[in-house]
């Protein structure tokens, strides 16, 4: 099954191809960006793919690339067929043990060895929602925590001009999802420091950037998993 076939079949399932020309093209572009750019590791490559799709469909960019990937995360599924080798089964067994005791997990290995795919496939088998985010040196804490953004009118419950938009970890904490942070070694130390509260034995997440003083309600199924590619013995850009 080709990527293009997945794009078109998903659009048909969501009745995008029958929508009005303008809104249909925008949603079609967002689906294509999620299915293609959402799997790319590097931010520049994701941006290039997104720009090509926007330009090809001749539509404007109504929201940020991060928001597109956040809103359409459910579309990202593992590639089939997925080979269950002894190595993968061993990783899964260790991951499941860590998840059962709510222990954050870090997977290390060479780039392209299948760390992320193994986690995505396990989440699919466990029928558990997974939010995946690729960290880069330019990643800001707002991508993980959230930020105030202009109201684009899609949120019918909010009538103010500025609304709060959850980041990846905040959304995962609220929805009891697994959160996968790829390329941990690439993140700025200040970004990693902000993640510390969810690494505790009893995870806690306070949206201080929003002005909150009380932590969000803890959900049992929330778990944080990260991947890392060591480079010349260097494990991370910060002491994490």
């Amino acid at each position: 099954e080709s990527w293009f076939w997945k794009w078109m079949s998903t659009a048909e399932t969501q009745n995008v191809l029958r929508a009005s020309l303008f809104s249909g093209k925008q949603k079609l572009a967002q689906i294509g960006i999620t299915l293609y750019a959402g799997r790319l590791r590097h931010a520049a490559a994701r941006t290039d793919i997104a720009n090509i799709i926007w330009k090809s469909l001749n539509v404007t960019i109504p929201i940020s690339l991060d928001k597109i990937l956040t809103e359409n995360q459910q579309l990202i599924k593992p590639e089939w067929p997925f080979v269950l080798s002894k190595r993968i089964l061993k990783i899964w067994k260790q991951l499941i043990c860590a998840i059962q005791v709510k222990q954050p997990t870090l997977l290390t290995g060479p780039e392209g060895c299948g760390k992320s795919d193994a986690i995505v496939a396990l989440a699919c088998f466990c029928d558990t929602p997974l939010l995946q985010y690729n960290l880069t040196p330019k990643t800001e804490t707002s991508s993980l925590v959230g930020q105030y953004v202009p109201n684009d009118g899609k949120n019918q419950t909010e009538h103010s001009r500025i609304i709060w938009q959850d980041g990846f970890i905040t959304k995962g904490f609220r929805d009891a999802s697994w959160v996968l942070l790829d390329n941990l070694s690439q993140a700025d130390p200040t970004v990693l420091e902000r993640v510390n509260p969810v690494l505790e034995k009893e995870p806690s997440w306070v949206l201080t950037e929003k002005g909150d003083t009380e932590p969000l309600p803890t959900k049992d199924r929330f778990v944080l998993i990260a991947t890392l590619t060591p480079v010349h013995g260097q494990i991370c850009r910060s002491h994490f």
Side-chain angles (χ1 to χ4, degrees), residues 33-100:
I33 289 170
T34 302
L35 291 175
Y36 198 135
R39 288 193 171 278
L40 300 179
R41 181 179 300 272
H42 301 291
R46 295 200 303 271
T47 301
D48 288 344
I49 291 298
N51 288 335
I52 291 172
I53 292 177
W54 287 120
K55 185 176 180 180
S56 299
L57 293 176
N58 194 28
V59 291
T60 56
I61 305 176
I63 56 178
S64 68
L65 179 56
D66 278 350
K67 187 174 182 181
I68 291 174
L69 297 179
T70 301
E71 292 181 347
N72 297 279
Q73 273 286 321
Q74 74 279 2
L75 298 178
I76 300 180
K77 303 294 183 181
E79 296 290 342
W80 305 111
F82 188 84
V83 179
L84 294 179
S85 64
K86 291 183 178 180
R87 173 174 165 272
I88 293 296
L89 291 175
K90 181 179 179 181
I91 292 174
W92 280 8
K93 182 177 180 180
Q94 294 172 334
L95 275 173
I96 291 173
C97 289
I99 290 168
Q100 287 179 335

Side-chain angles (χ1 to χ4, degrees), residues 153-204:
K154 292 184 177 180
N155 192 331
Q156 301 298 323
T157 62
E158 296 283 352
H159 302 289
S160 59
R161 294 183 178 181
I162 303 296
I163 61 175
W164 175 263
Q165 176 183 304
D166 286 341
F168 276 80
I169 291 182
T170 303
K171 182 174 177 59
F173 208 89
R174 289 189 194 275
D175 299 342
S177 305
W178 294 2
V179 176
L180 170 59
L181 300 181
D182 276 320
N183 297 333
L184 194 69
S185 59
Q186 297 298 311
D188 187 90
T190 57
V191 174
L192 298 183
E193 184 178 359
R194 183 62 180 88
V195 178
N196 280 340
V198 295
L199 301 179
E200 302 294 336
K201 184 176 181 181
E202 296 295 334
S204 176

